[in-house]
Amino acid sequence: MLKSIVTGAGHYLPERVVTNDDLSEMMNTNDKWIVERTGIHERRWFTPGVDTVTSMAKNASIMAIKNAGIENKAIDFIIFATITPDYFIPGNGVLLQRELGLQGIGALDVRNACSGFLYALSVADQFIKTGMYKNILVVGAEIQSSALNKNDEGRSSAVIFADGAGAVVCSATEEEGRGILSTHLHADGDFAEELYVKDPGSSREVRVSQELIDSGSFNLSMNGNTVFKHAVLRFKEVIEEALATNNLESKDIDLLIPHQANLRISQYIQNKMDLRDDQVFNNIMHYGNTTAATIPIAISESIQQNKIKSGDLVCLAAFGSGFSWASAIIRW
Ligand code: UT7
């Protein structure tokens, strides 16, 4: 039976480090509040003129393809998860495809925010299982810093979100006992406006006007408390769904990689699921919340740090705007 396995991972983080003290010079916040409420110490912001979503994704992809031990030309499909594309149209998949010299292959964009990478991975898994493609490049990359309202009004989002890119190569295998065991996708549009960017929406007579800009509708709007409360429930639920589907228990997990939304969310899940520190991977302290990029960055770093080895049971889980949430369970 055809299955998909992750054969290589890569990541790229922009060079510019922004500390909590740097933020406190821009808005009324402080290191103590940010560390206590989010666990974040520093994050990376892109440098205009140097980094683009495409360039960061390209760097992450080259590393993932190299680690997979294949050539660019072996990639037969690209799935790109981002909510911060370089252009409004077309999507980022084609821009990355051009940079990698892969003109002609299909390129799909996924817009499921923090769950975007897992939605993309699930799509890749289905395409591979049906035999349609052999090596799919799955990417998550974001530039959030240019959309943040960096003043007192936007501080609860501005301290969390950041920039970065990660990528994996998903390949077909017939090897027994390895691969993506299952993926689980969910959403509840009742909560669409709890975490959203309203404009430039298409349903208004004029998409961009000074009045709209002044109203703040181009800024990220987040009801942090509501998001937090739903996140802790849905994360646990979707991880348990993945375990139950495969007759597994939380003690069987070698590494849980939760979407890096807030260290307190990760710690809450760890506690509720009775997981040891070495079973949960966190890097939000250094990079903040890079939306669709957090999970592939974390996969790449976990492999580099020998925290994922062949045969390990790895669980991935995410929650974010939509609301949407998802998990994947992989025998590495
Ligand atoms: O990626 C998935 C999507 N996002 C998330 O998962 C985020 C989920 N939510 C969160 O992580 C948290 O809700 C936040 C970190 C956004 C906020 O933390 P909180 O513990 O929920 O704080 P709060 O919004 O209840 O605010 C507590 C206080 C307020 O002051 P008062 O009303 O108690 O006087 C805020 O005005 O903290 C204040 N505050 C800040 N103070 C310093 C809010 N943001 C800041 C800030 N610096 N950056």
Side-chain angles (χ1 to χ4, degrees), residues 64-227:
I65 293 168
K66 183 166 174 268
N67 286 335
I70 58 173
E71 302 274 324
N72 283 12
K73 62 177 188 298
I75 298 292
D76 43 19
F77 196 64
I78 293 172
I79 310 180
F80 200 126
T82 186
I83 47 163
T84 55
D86 287 321
Y87 298 148
F88 198 66
I89 304 169
N92 247 95
V94 296
L95 303 180
L96 176 63
Q97 180 227 48
R98 178 172 65 187
E99 286 300 308
L100 295 174
L102 290 172
Q103 285 86 339
I105 67 165
L108 173 73
D109 280 63
V110 169
R111 279 171 47 91
N112 287 66
C114 297
S115 309
F117 179 79
L118 290 187
Y119 268 72
L121 189 71
S122 180
V123 173
D125 186 37
Q126 314 313 316
F127 274 142
I128 285 176
K129 284 196 295 210
T130 59
M132 183 145 174
Y133 297 117
K134 284 197 172 64
N135 296 300
I136 302 182
L137 181 63
V138 186
V139 184
E142 306 279 4
I143 289 179
Q144 294 283 4
S145 61
S146 55
L148 299 173
N149 191 358
K150 301 183 190 84
N151 56 32
D152 294 359
E153 207 188 318
R155 63 183 179 171
S156 64
S157 305
V159 300
I160 296 179
F161 293 104
D163 310 337
V168 302
V169 174
C170 231
S171 304
T173 182
E174 292 195 30
E175 222 178 301
E176 282 296 310
R178 282 188 75 197
I180 296 179
L181 305 182
S182 62
T183 58
H184 306 268
L185 308 179
H186 297 282
D188 187 347
D190 279 352
F191 300 93
E193 286 79 20
E194 297 295 332
L195 173 48
Y196 81 132
V197 181
K198 188 174 184 187
D199 282 313
S202 54
S203 318
R204 271 165 289 285
E205 210 169 344
V206 178
R207 287 193 192 182
V208 183
S209 68
Q210 195 56 51
E211 201 186 334
L212 280 178
I213 294 169
D214 293 344
S215 77
S217 66
F218 282 77
N219 295 330
L220 184 82
S221 162
M222 176 170 78
N223 185 347
N225 260 283
T226 307
V227 177

Side-chain angles (χ1 to χ4, degrees), residues 27-30 33-34 37-38 114 155-157 159-161 195 222 224-225 227-228 231 259-262 264-265 289 319-321:
M27 62 194 85
N28 181 13
T29 190
N30 57 77
W33 190 96
I34 301 172
R37 302 285 176 133
T38 72
C114 297
R155 63 183 179 171
S156 64
S157 305
V159 300
I160 296 179
F161 293 104
L195 173 48
M222 176 170 78
N225 260 283
V227 177
F228 195 101
H259 160 58
Q260 304 291 293
N262 181 324
R264 280 163 56 215
I265 295 178
N289 178 345
F319 178 90
S321 172

